[in-house]
């Protein structure tokens, strides 16, 4: 057993780190890259696009994509290193992550040559931002229940329906979506995968405000939107099978561990600074135990991540065991924010821009955000189903 | 980057699992609850010694098998999975502790006999009124011109009835040390205690016990530069955490098998999320436990600074997990799970016993809290690795 990366990898890390140091400092001088922009949202989006372009030009975007498609063909360890260093530098996520991680691999594996030539370069450069039109009001965890229809009319597909929980919809240029093209087929067999220009007539975006007060996702209505049939990815009615297309990419979750570690460090600092009844809260035994337990959980995730990476490097697919990491990571995120609010004690109810507020109200924001983590991108229950069925081999549950 | 069990580890695990299942009849663990303690037959003790298990991680020149610490934890996990009783794990832990901390002449004298199964050495660390760790030590170890004198009372000593010698912790002036005390020495008295899972355990009294020769270990000779007693405690703790991982996985496997077979309301109960999600959560808990165990093992093997807190992390996590897994397994079995005949309560008993041994979950959380406070930055911001 050995947790060290190769000297070549460490060299790669050093190069990236020094590159990041230079760029992050430059960006921070002129604006606020790390905080995700100032007050002007359009300015912030442009800044995020510019940042991805800068990263792309330096060779740090499209890491898992093959070189022939504009990617880096980066090794798994290099992918881990980039994710770790970006988390360490607290730079924002790449704005086109949805396009990079979901659509890109799908087009590379199932797109036509002209689709790849048309779309891939602009995903990498963030010239075109993508959103994902999968979920619907009646198709959440049960995605195959989607109802949005597309009817062939001449050379076009005419799409009518209702998508929801669509991140980035107000700023996206394009949407990759699942629609029902054969209502008479069994529900997973009549689905097609389409690429829709968000500026097409009949597309209407309605931002949704989330429980924490932020705007992260939207509803998108499609009213007889015409999409040329050349924008079907894969076979007509063959969309379901390609929805889970991925390229071999690192799944360790180690960059997420780093951000949890940063969060926990901030919380320790808060608990050391805060005094209750004259003593630092961190010295209270119950608080110390809770913080210790959070530390145990983060370390557990770290070493789980190393196991996942190690299995991948040995050529084994981590498969359903990544569900274990994702499920537990969302749980740890929630526990850290709950512990934070417990540490705040009576001040847990005081919000930002108020006298006596703790850490400018960050823990309440983290708290709401963490609650969303066990819903979005596959609920905790769906992950438990996956673990039960695919790791334990228990009979399928809950499907009629 | 390599953080998995090696081919050798996997082969060792497979052969250990098969041998324990074949040689240790779990009914004996059950019978021992009425007539304690559970005893490993001499023939089995000799067999595992001849397979090199006792010295699996021991130095080869001293008769060990030359494996790494992980190999020892692989065997500890399998012992837990197969409910194998002592003195295997106590002897395994004592041997590793001595190999790491004792002087060369002491190792040469003690370890060959231990690894060969000719002598049984076990740790004697706990004392009445304490929790765990050197903080609760009252036993004194006083050097004399011919050897040393030991005074004190140890409790929860595993397999004292089989031990040829005790590796005990004690105070020598301001220092914490280890000393090796033969069980036949004058003034040693073994008083059996009954353990929840039927394994052998005793109170051992040391009344002005004189020991000839150089059997004092410490202060200050471990790979990490710390005290031998601290290191020995951590090794025992880690071995116990591995035992608990085996117990947890066995309980999960039993419950999963039952959930597939048992039909109620026309379907296997494992198709109901009330059952399947509890079992899925146990997968998460055991996978996290295995990850922490690997992390702690590597840190101990490399004698890194964070080794003590990672050992505590593994033990705290596995204590909670083993209790949760075995209680859940019993519950999933329904009425049949609550019967004497089913093995699941044997696992619950071993989980409860192990969880209470070598520091319970709260002890280790408190220890982590102390260790983390000692490295908190002086408010200059978080340090990240």
């Amino acid at each position: 057993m050995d947790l060290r990366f190769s000297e070549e990898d460490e060299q790669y890390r050093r190069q990236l780190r020094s590159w990041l140091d230079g760029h992050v400092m430059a960006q921070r001088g002129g604006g606020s890259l790390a905080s995700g922009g100032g007050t002007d949202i359009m300015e912030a989006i442009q800044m995020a696009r510019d940042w991805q372009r800068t990263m792309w030009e330096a060779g740090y975007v499209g890491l898992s994509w093959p070189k022939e498609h504009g990617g880096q063909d980066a090794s798994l360890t290099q992918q881990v290193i980039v994710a770790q260093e970006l988390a360490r530098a607290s730079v924002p996520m790449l704005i086109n992550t949805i396009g990079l991680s979901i659509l890109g691999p799908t087009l590379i594996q199932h797109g036509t040559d002209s689709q790849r030539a048309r779309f891939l370069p602009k995903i990498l450069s963030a010239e075109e931002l993508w959103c994902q039109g999968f979920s619907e009001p009646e198709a959440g965890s049960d995605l195959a229940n989607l109802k949005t229809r597309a009817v062939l009319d001449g050379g076009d597909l005419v799409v009518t329906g209702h998508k929801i929980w669509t991140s980035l919809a107000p700023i996206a240029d394009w949407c990759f979506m699942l629609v029902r093209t054969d209502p008479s087929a069994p529900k997973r067999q009549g689905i097609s995968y389409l690429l829709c220009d968000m500026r097409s007539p009949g597309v209407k975006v309605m931002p949704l405000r989330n429980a924490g007060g932020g705007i992260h996702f939207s509803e998108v209505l499609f009213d007889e939107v015409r999409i040329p049939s050349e924008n079907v990815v894969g076979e007509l009615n063959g969309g379901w099978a390609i929805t889970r297309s991925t390229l071999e990419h690192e799944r360790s979750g180690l960059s997420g561990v780093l951000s949890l570690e940063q969060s926990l460090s901030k919380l320790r600092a808060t608990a050391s600074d805060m005094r209750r009844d004259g003593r630092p809260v961190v010295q209270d035994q119950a608080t110390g135990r809770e913080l210790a337990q959070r530390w145990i959980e983060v370390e557990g995730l770290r070493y789980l991540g190393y196991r996942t990476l190690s299995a991948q490097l040995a050529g084994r697919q981590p498969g359903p065991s990544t569900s274990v990491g994702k499920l537990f990571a969302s749980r740890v995120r929630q526990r850290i924010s709950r512990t934070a609010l417990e540490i705040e004690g009576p001040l847990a109810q005081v919000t930002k821009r108020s006298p006596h507020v703790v850490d400018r109200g960050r823990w309440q924001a983290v708290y709401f955000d963490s609650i969303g983590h066990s819903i979005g991108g596959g609920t905790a229950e769906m992950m438990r189903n996956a673990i039960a069925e695919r790791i334990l081999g228990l009979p399928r549950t809950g499907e009629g | 980057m390599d953080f998995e069990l090696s081919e050798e580890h996997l082969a060792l695990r497979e052969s250990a699992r098969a041998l324990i299942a074949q040689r240790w009849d779990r009914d004996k663990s059950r019978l021992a609850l009425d007539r304690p303690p559970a005893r490993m037959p001499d023939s089995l003790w000799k067999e595992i010694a001849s397979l090199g298990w006792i010295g699996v991680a021991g130095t080869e020149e001293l008769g060990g098998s030359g494996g790494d610490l992980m190999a020892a934890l692989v065997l500890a996990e399998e012992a837990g999975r197969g409910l194998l009783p002592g003195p295997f794990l106590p002897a395994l832990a004592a041997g590793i502790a001595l190999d790491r901390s004792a002087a060369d002449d002491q190792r040469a004298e003690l370890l060959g006999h231990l690894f060969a199964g000719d002598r049984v050495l076990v740790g004697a660390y706990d004392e009445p009124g304490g929790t765990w760790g050197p903080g609760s030590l009252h036993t004194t170890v006083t050097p004399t011109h011919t050897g040393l004198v030991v005074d004190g009372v140890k409790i929860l000593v595993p397999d004292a009835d089989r031990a040829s010698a005790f590796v005990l912790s004690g105070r020598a002036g301001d220092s914490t040390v280890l000393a090796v005390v033969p069980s036949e020495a004058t003034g040693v008295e073994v008083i059996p205690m009954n353990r929840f899972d039927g394994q052998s355990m005793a109170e051992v009294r040391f009344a002005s016990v004189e020991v000839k020769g150089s059997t004092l270990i410490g202060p200050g000779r471990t790979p990490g530069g710390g005290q031998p007693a601290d290191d020995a405690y951590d090794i025992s703790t880690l071995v116990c955490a591995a035992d608990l991982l085996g117990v947890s996985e066995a309980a999960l496997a039993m419950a999963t098998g039952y959930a597939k077979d048992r039909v109620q309301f026309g379907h296997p109960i494992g198709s109901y999320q009330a059952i399947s999600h509890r079992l899925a959560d146990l997968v998460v808990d055991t996978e996290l436990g295995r990850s922490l165990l690997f992390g702690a093992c590597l840190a101990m093997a490399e004698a890194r600074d964070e080794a003590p807190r990672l050992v505590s992390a593994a033990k705290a996590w596995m204590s909670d997990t083993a209790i949760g897994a075995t209680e859940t397994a019993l519950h999933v079995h329904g009425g049949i799970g609550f019967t004497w005949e089913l093995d699941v309560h044997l696992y619950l008993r071993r989980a409860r016993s192990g969880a209470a041994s070598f520091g319970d979950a709260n002890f280790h959380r408190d220890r982590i809290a102390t260790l983390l406070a000692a490295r908190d930055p002086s408010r200059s911001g978080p340090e990240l690795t």
Side-chain angles (χ1 to χ4, degrees), chain B residues 81-111:
Chain B
R81 193 187 312 273
L83 293 173
L84 187 70
F88 174 50
L89 293 187
L92 180 72
I96 295 168
L98 291 175
D99 212 355
R100 284 166 68 94
S101 298
D104 288 347
D105 57 333
Q106 294 170 326
R107 291 162 67 233
E109 185 189 325
L110 296 166
L111 291 178

Side-chain angles (χ1 to χ4, degrees), chain A residues 1-5 265 268 273 285 289 293 300 303-304 307 310 316 331 384-385 392-393 397, chain B residues 1-4 260 271 273 277 281 287-288 290-292 298 309 362 365-366 376 379 382 384:
Chain A
M1 286 189 174
D2 184 358
L3 292 178
R4 286 170 301 184
F5 287 12
S265 291
R268 280 198 75 80
D273 288 345
Q285 187 185 43
R289 275 183 189 170
Q293 186 67 16
Y303 289 104
L304 181 70
R307 287 177 60 209
S310 199
R316 280 190 288 285
R331 207 180 289 170
R384 287 192 184 94
N385 285 352
L392 293 177
T397 135
Chain B
M1 169 56 57
D2 164 31
F3 197 56
E4 290 193 295
K260 289 177 187 174
S271 69
Q273 289 174 331
H277 284 191
D281 282 338
E287 287 303 311
L288 265 290
R290 179 174 295 287
S291 305
L292 285 166
L298 189 62
R309 56 182 190 268
N362 277 335
R365 281 189 276 268
D366 288 343
D376 270 342
R379 314 297 309 104
L384 298 170

